[in-house]
Amino acid sequence: MTHRLLRHPGGLHLSLMLVLTFSTGVIDAVGYLGLDRVFTGNMTGNVVILAMALTGADGLPVDGPVVALAMFMLGALIAGRVLRLTPAGWSGRSTALFVAVGLLLAASAGAMLVLTQAQADDARLAITGALGLAMGVQAGAARHIGVKDVTTVVVTSTLAGLAFDSRFGHRVGQQWPRRLLAVVLIGAGAATGAILLDVHFGLGMGLSAALTLIVALLGHLGRPHPVDDAGGA
């Protein structure tokens, strides 16, 4: 299995980042619908919500977006610190970061499964912070792997590129299938998260945790090995 994964590392990494894009959609649905209109993956949405909230518009939340933004930045900082001495691409440290994200999501899901409704309401900001931290680490690790057009957390620039580079726009070559898939998958993830939220608050986070841990395993199996590098030298 490892040899099969190593034959096409670019395709493997693209597939794994698309899975994480779907997972981000799930988490953002959980955050927006279950955590009082806060995004834990889409920081553009949080900045807009926070700016409007500070004007007193429509009773929008302030604390949730602030916590999500701060923890997302902390997560990305941690990922940058961990990966700063490693070359771009997938490494053992990338695996460790994705495992940490999966475990953090699993812990958040587990907490929601055992807490009463009143306790869950009290833990809202803590869950928001945990999800924001997880998504920040994920985004930082994905950035280091460097799959073009698939950041796992942002689709605005992807949509702009898809339209701008199309035959009706700038008319230049583009890898439009991956761009389109990234947009579709984050939307599909959001729809899935909304459906699971109707069943139980923790199910969406549990699904994202499982997907992230699977991504970590497959990415680890398909990462470059020193013996492979030496053999190709």
Side-chain angles (χ1 to χ4, degrees):
M1 179 181 180
T2 301
H3 292 301
R4 288 199 297 272
L5 294 175
L6 284 171
R7 287 194 199 107
H8 307 286
L12 172 65
H13 293 165
L14 171 60
S15 299
L16 297 181
M17 294 305 103
L18 287 172
V19 171
L20 291 181
T21 301
F22 174 86
S23 176
T24 297
V26 174
I27 291 298
D28 266 341
V30 170
Y32 191 82
L33 298 175
L35 294 172
D36 190 22
R37 290 178 288 182
V38 59
F39 293 104
T40 53
N42 176 12
M43 291 302 113
T44 302
N46 274 336
V47 170
V48 172
I49 289 173
L50 180 59
M52 293 188 294
L54 291 175
T55 70
D58 195 29
L60 291 171
V62 173
D63 52 356
V66 168
V67 169
L69 280 165
M71 296 305 289
F72 184 93
M73 292 292 291
L74 177 60
L77 185 152
I78 290 170
R81 183 78 178 183
V82 170
L83 295 169
R84 66 176 180 165
L85 298 179
T86 61
W90 199 298
S91 66
R93 293 190 177 192
S94 303
T95 301
L97 288 172
F98 285 125
V99 168
V101 170
L103 293 178
L104 187 53
L105 294 175
S108 300
M112 289 298 99
L113 289 171
V114 300
L115 294 178
T116 65
Q117 184 59 52
Q119 291 171 328
D121 290 341
D122 291 338
R124 178 178 59 84
L125 281 182
I127 296 298
T128 298
L131 297 184
L133 180 66
M135 293 297 99
V137 172
Q138 174 184 295
R143 178 183 177 87
H144 191 73
I145 291 169
V147 175
K148 186 179 180 182
D149 297 321
V150 185
T151 66
T152 77
V153 293
V154 177
V155 296
T156 303
S157 57
T158 305
L159 280 169
L162 187 63
F164 182 86
D165 293 333
S166 71
R167 61 181 297 185
F168 303 106
H170 198 52
R171 203 179 180 88
V172 298
Q174 64 165 313
Q175 295 174 310
W176 65 266
R178 68 172 60 185
R179 290 177 171 178
L180 184 60
L181 270 173
V183 175
V184 170
L185 284 172
I186 201 167
T192 302
I195 292 170
L196 292 177
L197 195 62
D198 285 338
V199 180
H200 193 282
F201 191 94
L203 287 182
M205 290 183 284
L207 173 61
S208 289
L211 291 175
T212 304
L213 292 173
I214 291 170
V215 164
L217 173 61
L218 294 178
H220 187 73
L221 292 175
R223 78 194 189 285
H225 293 74
V227 64
D228 298 323
D229 297 340

